[in-house]
Amino acid sequence: MNVTLLPKDENEIAAAVANAAAQRLPLAIMGGGTRAGLGRPVAAKATLSTRALTGITLYEPAELVLSARAGTPLEEIETLLAAKSQRLAFEPMDHRPLLGEGGEPTIGGVVAANVSGPRRIQAGAARDSLIGIRAVTGEGEIVKSGGRVMKNVTGYDLVKFLAGSYGTLAVLTEVSFKLIPSPETETTLVLTGLDDVAAVAALSAALGSPFSVTGAAHRPAFGREPARSFIRLDGFATSVADRAKRLATDLTDYGKAEQLAGRASVSLWQTIRDVALLGTAPKVPIWRISTRPSLAPALVETVRRAFEARVLYDWGGGLVWIAGGEGRDAGAAIIRGALGGNGHATLIRASEEVRSAVEIFQPLAPPLLELTRKLKRIFDPAGILNPGRVYAGL
Amino acid sequence: MPPVRAEILARRDEIVAGLAAIVGEEHVIVTEDERRAYEADALSAYRAVPLAVVLPGTTEEVAAVVRYLSEGGVKIIARGAGTSLSGGALPSPDAVVVGLARMNRILSVDYENRIARVEAGVTNINITNTVAHRGFFYAPDPSSQLACTIAGNIAMNSGGAHCLKYGVTTNNVLGIRMVTIDGTIVDIGGDHLDAASYDLLGLIVGSEGQFGIVTEATVRILRAAEGARPMLMGFDSAEAAGACVAAIIASGIIPVAIEYMDRPAIKVCEAFAHAGYPLDVEALLIIEVEGSEAEIEDLIGRITSIASGFAPSTTRVSKSEAESAAIWKGRKSAFGAMGRISDYMCMDGVIPTSRLPDVLKRVGEICASYGLAVANIFHAGDGNLHPLILFNANDPKELAKAEEAGADVLKLCVEVGGCLTGEHGVGIEKRDLMGFQFSAVDLGLQMRIKSVFDPQWLLNPAKVFPLDGRPPLADAA
């Protein structure tokens, strides 16, 4: 029988974790559950949810800073920020369309999985905007790192280390971010018909321009849809119009750029952010690969020789989404073989059977795995926090 | 400092010979005169001549040196250019300094992917200088960027005047090659974005040389904006300047830099750089915006209009490259200029920007209560204060007073919701203040992490954590 613990404050979380540690009772750590399908399946009889730990605890628009308890719905935060024309810089992806889970994404879940979106290429990942955390370790100790100020190098940067640790090191209880102003407007240049190599070159040229590109994505042709490459500019209206015109001129070697303005641009980037543009059928395995942009087209070509795949490039080609993958390993050997040491590939979606059998996250080099194992033991000596979610035995 | 280990001092000749066997005699510094050059960093109030200094030329040599020293139980102080303002590179008599000065090559530059691979002893400015002809730059720009190394920047997670827009070191480093305490060479991160899983790179950046020695790094290079222009605005009060900064940021503009100087700082910097700073104001803001000519005009117009609500007594926009360079020279050489007139301790606390006027007033009161003068020069956009507490280093009583005043200032920063250090690091300087920001539980966790990377606490061991309450060390190998 699976019980769910719903502690209402940090002290209750600490008590619940300490209790579980004493009994060596593994806990599945959960926010809104919208990313429950990410990572390896966790074998736990009890779930500790942060859903009852809600509330924005600090918002200072003139300082561009916000703090919230881990279970606060992301939507609540984004709505509050929008009212002051501000936002989270990293444009966090919503995994629900891809993973098919219900529920509400929480800010703690965003941090635990270091969830970013297209703007990551220019504004950094979730971990780059995160300036402070409070958390409960696997021993039930309440700890903090960073704070609510913009710069902070006091003590080790546990803020970065806990971002993206999927609840395996500590239970996040409160997170603080620096924010950015929302742009007055945005526009997207669209290039049509480029092959992958030319598209990545065009995106690189755009990102290497002085025009502050905040999104650079490419969807290869499939079916009757031609290939399209997308370059986003945002800021004050006069400035965006001028930069769009000049960038389009600089990119004439890659064809004539159409422009998608305002709402149409906003919706387009939402479909890129949430990978809806991949247009994949349910159940097809989905891979997420981070690599050097110029290597990405050859990687995709190698994969396509092995199996049929739909592909979406983001981050100027540095992020590759692949839908496809055959056999019991969902194509892991082929993808990771093609990647070599040049980045990492994560299996985002697959059946539970495949997820139990395949390394979901890129395997670590032995010395780094050993280091990670020792660090896990420091944070969670009893091994009760989301055991095995990232690597087997961790 | 922790007690000096007499048994290590006694083995000095043997250790020197061991190091020479690895890197060659010419790269081991032995004589006292030459070792003295390494007795301190930019926090010159603290000094100790190290046992020896070794200058390896390759990662493999660093690995062999570290393995040799750790097997012998010898403390290791990694050193870049020795520009630390917190004593991060301060040695001890029983420690060997491992200097990265010879490892200063740019290994490759890849404009298409916007990355550069460098040896960690390269200077910060050298990266920008190497890529500037293509319009690119390396973003973090500490004031010491002419001298400081990427190794030191990574150790301290250094910032700079322009990090308001572009972030600090940790936001601009993609990968490192590091030698761990047992001499293993590991690659962490790479030339792609974000970690595969656990963000070890994020943990290591800012670990003050206590986890390993970083020998190479892959950093992001960015295309510079078409142009940039600073403007000066003088105010009759700190309150007005602080409120103006808040209003600019709340309006949706993030200038690439917002720097603040108070009256004593303006006077000294102007005398040094002849930048044309107004001398009759209480607070001076240097605000830089960037973009195309039209964008710069637009942003300066918006900022001027916002600022008019706070009655600046002077507003001056730079009209030429030379004028912009002079404005920045005054700011970036501020610490050096101050050093010409007085010894000083440079604080590095961070506060919520809304508390600026109040905190500046209290900083003045704290220093006055010790009979000391203070000058303030800092990054106003992010609340990173740099009060310079002036004192006479030849008077031990004044040094003690300056240290006490500095501690009070940093405690004040923590009290108002900020932190002890924004970009200089804890080092030796703020080690004993850590208890004001962190609980014993917080520090315990951090120290257990230190022990994972360095069970015997040989890497830069005297720094970061108070000497009381440290964990028992693992047995020497």
Side-chain angles (χ1 to χ4, degrees):
Chain A
M1 191 183 75
N2 198 322
V3 293
T4 297
L5 310 171
L6 277 166
K8 287 186 294 295
D9 62 32
E10 191 175 70
N11 288 325
E12 284 188 19
I13 291 192
V17 173
N19 186 38
Q23 298 176 51
R24 307 238 150 206
L25 174 74
L27 295 173
I29 311 301
M30 186 93 78
T34 67
R35 297 174 234 272
L38 281 182
R40 303 174 72 253
V42 173
K45 289 208 171 60
T47 297
L48 189 153
S49 169
T50 57
R51 232 168 38 233
L53 188 71
T54 58
I56 291 163
T57 51
L58 172 86
Y59 177 38
E60 291 284 350
E63 295 183 19
L64 294 168
V65 59
L66 174 137
S67 306
R69 296 194 185 95
T72 309
L74 179 62
E75 196 182 348
E76 184 183 330
I77 291 171
E78 291 186 323
T79 305
L80 180 72
L81 294 180
K84 294 279 182 186
S85 295
Q86 296 185 347
R87 63 181 175 189
L88 296 168
F90 48 94
E91 201 175 9
M93 166 183 182
D94 183 348
H95 280 80
R96 284 175 296 185
L98 210 58
L99 299 179
E101 305 273 1
E104 273 291 315
T106 63
I107 194 66
V110 166
V111 171
N114 189 26
V115 179
S116 308
R119 190 171 277 99
R120 193 272 171 260
I121 187 68
Q122 188 249 359
R127 54 89 90 177
D128 294 295
S129 282
L130 192 66
I131 55 176
I133 47 129
R134 295 181 62 86
V136 171
T137 68
E139 290 184 281
E141 291 182 331
I142 297 170
V143 293
K144 64 174 178 299
S145 179
R148 52 143 304 183
V149 286
M150 295 296 126
K151 274 162 86 184
N152 191 339
V153 297
T154 322
Y156 299 147
D157 195 350
L158 306 187
V159 171
K160 302 282 182 303
F161 193 52
L162 291 186
S165 65
Y166 288 86
T168 61
L169 300 175
V171 183
L172 295 168
T173 57
E174 189 175 350
V175 290
S176 299
F177 292 97
K178 57 178 174 181
L179 311 166
I180 59 170
S182 300
E184 195 173 278
T185 190
E186 70 171 63
T187 196
T188 298
L189 298 181
V190 184
L191 298 164
T192 304
L194 297 177
D195 67 31
D196 294 6
V197 172
V200 169
L203 300 181
S204 284
L207 288 164
S209 78
F211 301 122
S212 284
V213 166
T214 66
H218 170 70
R219 196 205 49 195
F222 72 87
R224 280 191 282 179
E225 293 279 323
R228 288 206 166 87
S229 313
F230 309 102
I231 297 159
R232 179 173 61 187
L233 296 163
D234 58 31
F236 292 115
T238 48
S239 150
V240 167
D242 178 55
R243 282 187 277 145
K245 201 170 132 199
R246 294 173 60 201
L247 182 56
T249 309
D250 286 357
L251 295 175
T252 43
D253 284 357
Y254 300 99
K256 184 173 159 36
E258 315 267 333
Q259 257 193 66
L260 213 54
R263 291 298 317 162
S265 173
V266 171
S267 323
L268 166 73
W269 286 96
Q270 208 162 327
T271 65
I272 295 169
R273 183 195 74 184
D274 298 342
V275 205
L277 204 62
L278 201 54
T280 168
K283 296 202 174 161
V284 177
I286 293 188
W287 287 89
R288 179 180 184 273
I289 298 153
S290 177
T291 188
R292 196 158 78 225
S294 61
L295 297 178
L299 169 87
V300 166
E301 202 187 315
T302 308
V303 169
R304 278 188 161 150
R305 275 199 298 267
F307 56 79
E308 200 182 316
R310 281 196 189 176
V311 174
L312 175 66
Y313 296 84
D314 196 357
W315 301 354
L319 180 69
V320 187
W321 292 93
I322 292 180
E326 291 173 344
R328 298 170 57 103
D329 79 343
I334 287 158
I335 288 173
R336 292 199 173 121
L339 187 60
N342 297 301
H344 51 84
T346 309
L347 181 56
I348 299 293
R349 184 175 80 185
S351 69
E352 181 137 340
E353 192 192 349
V354 171
R355 290 197 296 125
S356 307
V358 176
E359 290 266 29
I360 302 289
F361 296 92
Q362 185 77 20
L364 294 176
L368 298 186
L369 183 61
E370 187 51 29
L371 194 55
T372 305
R373 201 181 292 285
K374 287 180 184 163
L375 289 166
K376 162 81 174 173
R377 236 177 270 143
I378 293 298
F379 280 88
D380 178 22
I384 55 159
L385 300 180
N386 264 352
R389 175 97 184 244
V390 181
Y391 296 111
L394 239 72
Chain B
M1 297 295 281
V4 171
R5 294 180 190 171
E7 73 278 14
I8 301 290
L9 298 184
R11 282 167 44 207
R12 179 155 182 271
D13 291 346
E14 168 210 325
I15 292 165
V16 164
L19 294 170
I22 298 167
V23 299
E25 240 173 69
E26 66 277 29
H27 300 305
V28 184
I29 292 171
V30 186
T31 68
E32 180 160 353
D33 274 359
E34 288 177 295
R35 277 185 285 141
R36 196 165 287 283
Y38 295 84
E39 69 177 352
D41 52 28
L43 185 70
S44 54
Y46 298 87
R47 290 162 195 273
V49 177
L51 191 76
V53 179
V54 57
L55 301 172
T58 63
T59 299
E60 289 68 29
E61 283 185 2
V62 173
V65 163
V66 170
R67 189 180 305 116
Y68 173 75
L69 292 172
S70 70
E71 280 173 359
V74 183
K75 293 174 196 164
I76 299 167
I77 314 295
R79 182 178 175 111
T83 59
S84 173
L85 287 161
S86 64
L90 174 73
S92 60
D94 55 352
V96 170
V97 169
V98 179
L100 291 173
R102 289 175 61 215
M103 297 187 62
N104 59 0
R105 289 177 306 157
I106 305 257
L107 299 173
S108 64
V109 177
D110 177 347
Y111 293 100
E112 189 182 2
N113 294 301
R114 301 168 303 283
I115 50 178
R117 179 90 184 152
V118 302
E119 289 184 328
V122 73
T123 59
N124 174 295
I125 194 72
N126 199 2
I127 303 179
T128 292
N129 286 345
T130 302
V131 301
H133 71 284
R134 293 274 301 260
F136 282 75
F137 71 112
Y138 174 63
D141 62 337
S143 293
S144 57
Q145 69 183 141
L146 296 178
C148 67
T149 63
I150 290 299
N153 292 175
I154 289 170
M156 294 313 198
N157 190 14
S158 305
H162 290 79
C163 63
L164 187 56
K165 181 166 176 189
Y166 294 108
V168 296
T169 302
T170 192
N171 312 116
N172 288 280
V173 173
L174 296 181
I176 54 172
R177 181 161 287 175
M178 185 174 86
V179 173
T180 62
I181 190 65
D182 59 359
T184 307
I185 298 168
V186 292
D187 285 324
I188 297 173
D191 47 18
H192 54 275
L193 294 175
D194 298 338
S197 53
Y198 296 98
D199 192 352
L200 290 168
L201 181 61
L203 181 62
I204 290 165
V205 175
S207 61
E208 306 208 6
Q210 296 199 310
F211 288 176
I213 298 185
V214 173
T215 60
E216 287 181 23
T218 303
V219 301
R220 294 183 88 176
I221 52 171
L222 303 176
R223 178 69 189 264
E226 289 174 275
R229 191 166 307 148
M231 64 189 292
L232 300 175
M233 282 194 286
F235 294 87
D236 292 334
S237 71
E239 284 80 5
C244 182
V245 170
I248 291 168
I249 289 176
S251 79
I253 299 171
I254 303 215
V256 69
I258 308 181
E259 297 290 297
Y260 182 112
M261 290 189 200
D262 67 3
R263 185 187 277 270
I266 298 166
K267 192 175 152 205
V268 171
C269 293
E270 177 59 20
F272 178 79
H274 308 293
Y277 298 158
L279 294 167
D280 57 346
V281 298
E282 288 305 319
L284 175 69
L285 297 178
I286 302 173
I287 302 180
E288 183 159 273
V289 295
E290 60 181 23
S292 68
E293 192 53 42
E295 286 169 323
I296 288 173
E297 290 287 331
D298 179 50
L299 286 170
I300 285 178
R302 285 169 196 262
I303 289 171
T304 307
S305 142
I306 293 165
S308 66
F310 305 93
S313 51
T314 34
T315 299
R316 206 183 92 216
V317 179
S318 166
K319 287 181 210 64
S320 67
E321 285 291 317
E323 192 176 352
S324 301
I327 287 171
W328 276 114
K329 184 182 171 209
R331 167 61 188 89
K332 290 212 170 186
S333 53
F335 296 175
M338 197 57 77
R340 298 199 312 170
I341 63 153
S342 172
D343 302 306
Y344 65 81
M345 311 249 322
C346 174
M347 301 292 108
D348 180 40
V350 187
I351 58 163
T353 48
S354 61
R355 303 297 299 269
L356 265 177
D358 172 39
V359 169
L360 288 178
K361 186 160 161 274
R362 285 172 67 186
V363 167
E365 288 164 2
I366 287 170
C367 293
S369 76
Y370 287 93
L372 298 172
V374 62
N376 284 288
I377 304 169
F378 59 88
H379 314 305
D382 50 28
N384 190 183
L385 303 185
H386 292 312
L388 303 180
I389 301 173
L390 311 185
F391 71 105
N392 175 4
N394 294 322
D395 178 350
K397 279 193 203 138
E398 279 227 334
L399 172 62
K401 277 196 218 165
E403 286 182 329
E404 280 175 54
D408 288 355
V409 166
L410 295 181
K411 285 178 204 165
L412 170 63
C413 291
V414 174
E415 209 178 282
V416 300
C419 66
L420 298 172
T421 171
E423 57 186 6
H424 296 173
V426 177
I428 199 81
E429 184 203 19
K430 293 170 282 280
R431 178 186 76 186
D432 295 321
L433 298 174
M434 288 288 274
F436 289 97
Q437 185 168 335
F438 292 109
S439 69
V441 170
D442 294 332
L443 292 176
L445 176 65
Q446 293 185 39
M447 289 191 287
R448 291 202 298 279
I449 294 170
K450 159 72 172 162
S451 294
V452 164
F453 284 90
D454 179 20
Q456 297 182 65
W457 283 57
L458 294 174
L459 290 162
N460 219 10
K463 318 295 166 65
V464 183
F465 301 105
L467 297 181
D468 289 344
R470 292 185 168 202
L473 300 188
D475 290 333

